Amino acid sequence: MKTNDVILQTVTKITLFIIILFSIHLFFAGHYYPGGGFIGGLMTSGAIVLLLLAYDMKTVANILPIDYKYMIGVGLLFSVGTGAGALLFDAPFLTHAHSHVLLPLLGDTALHTAVLFDTGVYLVVIGVTMTIIQTIGEDE
Amino acid sequence: MFELVVYISLVCVSISMLGLIYRVIKGPSIPDRVVALDAIGINLVAIIALISIALKTNAFLEIILLIGILAFIGTVAFAKYLEKGVIIEHERDR
């Protein structure tokens, strides 16, 4: 039987951007409000799972040509690099630094190296979740 | 007075959730149970909103959107499983 899920696909096209915006908001709000890298990564992979549900594995691989196993490695490298960067400045491992920077467009912005560590967590969570789901979904 | 209204509506939402749990347990077919679970998720949103009013905090507002999104994805996954037998297809047949 030929099925037609045009409603699901149209709703997915609109909802996907709202979910990804929400996950980015959760990721950047993590320092001052509830949120952070873990739940942000889970929401982003939830958006990709919605894409996988509405379309199929091959279409999603064409849209997002990412090997999620490399994503885990890059995320771990981010976290280790943030920790090891402190060693260059004669500080103990995983010492974080922060300062207020006057950026041209954004004005007075508080930048913290914990964001880089959180980026690592974000990438690892997306990588692990999508690797698990794709590996389970792929067996024939 | 206002808190009394919040507590009364919490009791009402809880009673409607009990009715939905009855439908999840008793429901003759699987789609009945899926629809009841989706509605339980929406009632959970209402309960979290009322509790965040009662606790006078806005720390739970993200959870409301989160449960909405998760209920949608879960219901879509269940519906696709019931219709096609697989949740994630390898290649669409068309």
Side-chain angles (χ1 to χ4, degrees):
Chain A
M1 192 181 75
K2 196 168 187 296
T3 52
N4 182 4
D5 24 68
V6 66
I7 295 177
L8 174 61
Q9 290 179 355
T10 312
V11 168
T12 299
K13 279 173 197 161
I14 298 165
T15 319
L16 187 81
F17 292 102
I18 299 171
I19 300 177
I20 287 182
L21 266 180
F22 179 53
S23 77
I24 292 172
H25 165 75
L26 278 177
F27 172 68
F28 280 112
H31 198 75
Y32 293 108
Y33 301 103
F38 185 74
I39 188 70
L42 277 182
M43 270 340 269
T44 307
S45 47
I48 303 172
V49 166
L50 186 61
L51 208 58
L52 278 173
L53 286 173
Y55 296 93
D56 52 316
M57 215 96 112
K58 257 190 169 170
T59 318
V60 176
N62 277 334
I63 297 170
L64 294 168
I66 301 167
D67 191 345
Y68 293 102
K69 293 187 283 298
Y70 289 124
M71 209 172 201
I72 302 174
V74 171
L76 288 175
L77 213 64
F78 257 102
S79 297
V80 172
T82 314
L87 294 175
L88 297 176
F89 298 99
D90 248 358
F93 187 66
L94 275 176
T95 306
H96 287 287
H98 70 93
S99 70
H100 288 264
V101 182
L102 211 62
L103 292 179
L105 209 60
L106 298 170
D108 185 26
T109 316
L111 294 179
H112 200 292
T113 50
V115 178
L116 292 174
F117 189 82
D118 226 22
T119 310
V121 175
Y122 181 78
L123 292 175
V124 168
V125 169
I126 296 176
V128 169
T129 317
M130 293 316 295
T131 308
I132 291 172
I133 288 172
Q134 284 196 336
T135 317
I136 292 173
E138 225 161 32
D139 60 330
E140 288 285 311
Chain B
M1 182 61 203
F2 183 65
E3 290 206 340
L4 189 72
V5 174
V6 170
Y7 289 133
I8 289 172
S9 19
L10 262 177
V11 170
C12 291
V13 177
S14 310
I15 290 170
S16 86
M17 251 177 121
L18 279 179
L20 287 164
I21 289 170
Y22 170 76
R23 180 51 68 193
V24 169
I25 296 169
K26 187 82 178 177
S29 65
I30 307 264
D32 284 329
R33 296 191 167 106
V34 174
V35 171
L37 278 175
D38 193 42
I40 283 177
I42 304 304
N43 273 353
L44 214 56
V45 168
I47 283 182
I48 290 170
L50 289 168
I51 283 178
S52 75
I53 291 172
L55 294 177
K56 295 186 178 63
T57 172
N58 55 5
F60 299 141
L61 295 186
E62 270 95 3
I63 315 286
I64 292 174
L65 195 50
L66 199 73
I67 289 181
I69 293 169
L70 287 183
F72 174 66
I73 294 178
T75 310
V76 166
F78 252 121
K80 194 165 176 190
Y81 176 69
L82 290 176
E83 192 191 346
K84 293 186 179 171
V86 289
I87 295 180
I88 298 174
E89 294 161 291
H90 186 67
E91 195 173 4
R92 185 166 291 272
D93 45 348
R94 64 179 157 178

